Amino acid sequence: MEHAVSTDRDPAAEEAGPLADAAAAEGAAAEGGTDDTDGEAAEAGTGAADATAGAATTEAEAAEAAAVSEAQAELAAQRELRERIEQRKAEKAGPIAAGTKLSGQAADLLAAVRAMESGGPVDPALLRTAAPAAAPDRPRETAPARPRPEAEQRPAEPRAAAPETVSAVRAVLGEGGAPETLAGQVTDALGERAPEVLRENPWQLLAVPGVRPEQADGFARALLGAACGPGDERRTTALVSRLLERAALQGHTALEASAVGSALAGHSVPDPDAAVRHAVEESVVLRFPEDEDDEAGEADGSDDGSEEHGESGGHDEAGGAPDGAAAAPVPVLLALDRYALAEDALAEGLARLAKTGQDAVWEEAAAGAPSPSAAELIRALAGHGLVLHAGGEAARAEPVALALAARALGVRAVVAVHSENGRDRLADGVDAVTVSGLLAGAEGPGRDADGLFALDLLVVLDAPQLDVETAATVVESLADGARLVLSGDPGVLWSAGAGRVFADLLAAGVCPRVSSRTPDPGPIGELVSGIGVGELNQVAAPGKEVVIVPVRDAGEAVHRTVQLVAESVPRAFGTEAGQTQVITVGHGGSAGTRALNAALKQRLNPGPGRFGGFDPGDRVAYVPSPGRTLQGAVVSADAEGLRLECGGATVTVSKDRVEHAVRHGWALTAHQAAGMRWPAVVVVLPGDAAQGLSRPWVYTAFSRGDRHLSVVHGVDQALPKAVSDVPSQERTTRLRGQLEALLAPARQPG
């Protein structure tokens, strides 16, 4: 590999349209990664014209997508809930004493969030103000992890819709000339009222992934006849919702109204501005600022305005407007209720934790820290309830040491990871839980009488993998006075779900940040460290820790990959083929996960694929929900479905979900692999992968191997160019601005 000279570039110049390649991203969320070779790099931006073109050209690929859109139910209740959230903007100035419970409105918010996440209606009683009450004193003692019953180990399967509902939906689809095979997906997307919803607004068919606007138009004409047209308000509101749902699959929690309007114009909507206004009035989307007067006032500098900025938007490093420069105009943003609610709840919850006062018990723990960075982390936590920790794989030992020291002092502390793979990488004797298991109550200390985690300290590793909804649920489950440490590597790809929580917190500078001084060791660590600063350097690898395998075309790339996994790497390092993970840019393409998995199965576990293409012993990637990937192996199959072993738990995937939720897993995308590591990794870069490469993608893929990294290299100079010239593409979020409005940014020393 040649040395790549790092150049300074404005990240804004790298932006692509936020709606570009949306169909590819839609398939990515369903499968826990980015679909096809060009999907992973197209994560964010602002160009509306390119957005429309990109969406049009990738619609065909989206037919395979299996992301499940949620029904837009209980919108009026959610709107009222958001108004209640706005009333909580006035935070108390002083530190929060440990041991108190959430205020009434915060408790109501938590209950309402849980209700909406479960798909149920929001109880109006949750929207009434309750008087705050003090929680009983909790002794500082170590809370042992609750054993997980077998039933709780299994990822929850989506609830099956009533057969009569599916039959009614099938009848409506047939009447409108749509494929009746979509009945199950329509019911999943629209809920039990799907037949009525579909008749009232046939364009709600767009809630099903892969359905194109022109197909929904034909369906609507068949049901409504001449009573519909391109400006039909039912059509425009469905299109607005669809555009924001697809943007969320690319990581955005909001979009600029101008980009949405341009995309609507591309779908022949005669008055895009009126369509956007109608969608806001109908509470299909929320508008920020909420009215034009607020927007004008903030643009004139008569109001703070910082709350509604995205993560860039004219801020200097400390989060304010540059010296001597006029405040940048505040863009009008549109957001779906679920993401607006999550960002509001997360920002206020983080602000609440950040105000936790000092506690001398942490100073005691710092004295016995195993490293200077660990001691610095413990001291930072002594005076703050929210602390960020940045570092690579080796630095994970520092927040773990913090948790162990806390437990030794009688503090109820829990370490949370994002996968069984992440838990297996921790040192012996460290009890850890998965984030999903903690939230479900299947792992960890459980919840107290108020529904809050029965703990005083939560340490979350691989924090960049937190999406905004998961993070909001975690934070709202922490009691006042509890402390939160978010630890992760800032250089990796962001979450598969919407938001960029860890990056927004780092950029806002509203809490202490401890940067580890513990580098990842060896040639792989040296290589990845250079990539993190934009340089692709040659490294000495006397033990073949890093090997470059040049290839001329995709066919040779697939052949050499199979050879490396089945023969070369096991022979050189004494490992099994199952300990080598293949990572490539996307699912499609001549050397994507589909092609590679087919070749690897033929070599490593040949069979007839009697159950949906799978055989016992096949290595698989199971996606129980969009953006979440579990690795496992096929055990058997019967009338109930495909039985998998995932992280020591048995999972049964019903027959109708196998096609969409299970893939062969010898090869993954980098998004799927984020947060996990293996003894050996083979990164495959065929010639058609060049446009999907970026510095975070290369950094993530190259850093997944502990002992060995092979790079099947067919992209020539595109690899060093991506490392030096293609940083993270922006995501449009509101979190940084909200945090800056709630907490004065704290400048970092130096």
Side-chain angles (χ1 to χ4, degrees), residues 455-482:
L455 54 84
D456 305 303
L457 168 64
L458 176 62
V459 176
V460 179
L461 304 183
D462 300 317
Q465 303 311 305
L466 280 174
D467 62 79
V468 68
E469 291 182 297
T470 302
T473 308
V474 167
V475 169
E476 286 297 310
S477 298
L478 291 170
D480 288 354

Side-chain angles (χ1 to χ4, degrees), residues 45 112 212 221 278 346 384 482 520 594 677:
R212 302 192 297 274
R221 283 193 295 269
H278 177 73
L346 177 57
H384 302 83
D520 286 344
R594 298 186 187 101
R677 285 171 72 102

Side-chain angles (χ1 to χ4, degrees), residues 1 541 543-549 564 573 681 708-712:
M1 285 182 288
K544 297 185 178 179
E545 295 89 348
V546 178
V547 174
I548 309 301
V549 183
L564 286 165
F573 292 91
V681 161
H708 175 73
L709 167 67
S710 281
V711 181
V712 179

Side-chain angles (χ1 to χ4, degrees), residues 27-103:
E31 296 161 345
T34 299
D35 201 2
D36 297 323
T37 56
D38 59 341
E40 287 192 85
E43 292 182 287
T46 57
D50 291 342
T52 305
T57 58
T58 55
E59 290 285 358
E61 293 179 87
E64 298 179 356
V68 179
S69 300
E70 295 189 359
Q72 296 177 343
E74 303 295 339
L75 289 176
Q78 294 181 30
R79 179 70 175 181
E80 186 176 353
L81 177 59
R82 192 188 179 283
E83 293 172 357
R84 294 286 184 181
I85 294 172
E86 290 299 324
Q87 296 175 11
R88 298 177 59 205
K89 295 297 184 183
E91 293 286 332
K92 295 181 180 180
I96 298 173
T100 59
K101 71 184 288 291
L102 288 172
S103 64

Side-chain angles (χ1 to χ4, degrees), residues 312-661:
S312 50
H315 290 79
D316 64 9
E317 291 182 355
D323 293 340
V330 178
V332 176
L333 299 178
L334 302 178
L336 294 172
D337 288 64
R338 57 183 288 194
Y339 300 116
L341 177 64
E343 281 190 313
D344 287 343
L346 177 57
E348 295 184 19
L350 291 170
R352 172 174 57 85
L353 295 177
K355 294 179 181 179
T356 298
Q358 295 193 11
D359 192 336
V361 69
W362 303 102
E363 292 289 354
E364 301 174 22
S371 69
S373 293
E376 183 182 358
L377 178 60
I378 295 173
R379 291 192 182 96
L381 197 67
H384 302 83
L386 175 64
V387 176
L388 307 180
H389 174 261
E393 179 70 10
R396 284 161 55 98
E398 295 159 12
V400 170
L402 164 65
L404 293 176
R407 288 182 179 179
L409 294 170
V411 176
R412 301 176 301 175
V414 166
V415 176
V417 296
H418 288 273
S419 65
E420 292 294 336
N421 180 292
R423 176 153 50 188
D424 293 342
R425 302 201 317 271
L426 297 178
D428 294 339
V430 177
D431 292 327
V433 301
T434 62
V435 172
S436 59
L438 178 66
L439 292 176
E443 304 172 35
R447 297 177 184 265
D448 61 20
D450 298 312
L452 305 175
F453 294 146
L455 54 84
D456 305 303
L457 168 64
L458 176 62
V459 176
V460 179
L461 304 183
D462 300 317
Q465 303 311 305
L466 280 174
D467 62 79
V468 68
E469 291 182 297
T470 302
T473 308
V474 167
V475 169
E476 286 297 310
S477 298
L478 291 170
D480 288 354
R483 296 170 191 267
L484 174 64
V485 174
L486 298 178
S487 173
D489 191 336
V492 301
L493 290 166
W494 296 328
S495 62
R500 34 166 277 170
V501 175
F502 192 63
D504 279 342
L505 268 166
L506 290 172
V510 295
C511 62
R513 166 182 175 171
V514 176
S515 296
S516 174
R517 296 186 292 277
T518 305
D520 286 344
I524 296 178
E526 181 183 350
L527 174 65
V528 172
S529 295
I531 293 172
V533 296
E535 298 178 357
L536 188 65
N537 300 319
Q538 289 183 333
V539 295
K544 297 185 178 179
E545 295 89 348
V546 178
V547 174
I548 309 301
V549 183
V551 294
R552 292 165 295 183
D553 53 41
E556 186 180 3
V558 172
H559 172 75
R560 294 303 300 273
T561 299
V562 173
Q563 186 180 55
L564 286 165
V565 173
E567 301 174 9
S568 303
V569 174
R571 182 172 60 247
F573 292 91
T575 60
E576 299 177 359
Q579 294 179 291
T580 300
Q581 181 62 53
V582 177
I583 299 174
T584 190
V585 174
H587 295 300
S590 52
T593 63
R594 298 186 187 101
L596 287 166
N597 277 318
L600 288 163
K601 173 175 172 54
Q602 183 178 5
R603 176 65 182 273
L604 299 175
N605 195 45
R610 292 174 180 169
F611 194 95
F614 297 98
D615 294 296
D618 277 358
R619 189 171 173 181
V620 296
Y622 169 49
V623 182
S625 59
R628 183 181 172 213
T629 300
L630 302 178
Q631 278 202 302
V634 175
V635 176
S636 63
D638 54 27
E640 294 184 8
L642 189 65
R643 298 192 185 280
L644 311 176
E645 187 278 322
C646 296
T650 300
V651 180
T652 300
V653 183
S654 58
K655 291 188 290 186
D656 61 334
R657 297 192 64 245
V658 169
E659 180 181 358
H660 303 299

